[in-house]
Amino acid sequence: MPDGKGAVGAGMYPALAGNENLLGADYTIHVILNGLRAMPALDGQLDHDQVAAVVNYIRTGFGNDWSENPATAETVAASR
């Protein structure tokens, strides 16, 4: 949802706001590249820089302030 608090309805969508799984960039990179449950894998859709930008946005948006060790194109490439 727009506020990052997640939703329950046709499925369960975990919150991005305050989600401690986002403390490290590696988990978020993995989910974006490989998908998880209803989220499709975006590995073939986004380049390294785009994935890093999305990861950093999620980790620092929605009230989160997990800006230490940001994702980079290099960390995304290593995950691929």
Side-chain angles (χ1 to χ4, degrees):
M1 302 306 292
D3 59 5
K5 293 182 181 172
V8 175
M12 196 294 223
Y13 302 94
L16 296 174
N19 187 332
E20 292 186 3
N21 286 329
L22 306 175
L23 283 170
D26 291 339
Y27 173 79
T28 314
I29 291 169
H30 174 79
V31 171
I32 290 170
L33 294 178
N34 301 297
L36 182 66
R37 297 187 203 106
M39 183 183 158
L42 299 174
D43 188 19
Q45 306 297 314
L46 303 173
D47 65 29
H48 303 328
D49 289 316
Q50 291 170 320
V51 172
V54 171
V55 169
N56 293 331
Y57 173 79
I58 291 169
R59 293 182 67 229
T60 60
F62 309 107
N64 297 329
D65 186 22
W66 297 311
S67 56
E68 286 188 35
N69 301 315
T72 64
E74 292 77 20
T75 57
V76 173
S79 294
R80 287 187 150 141

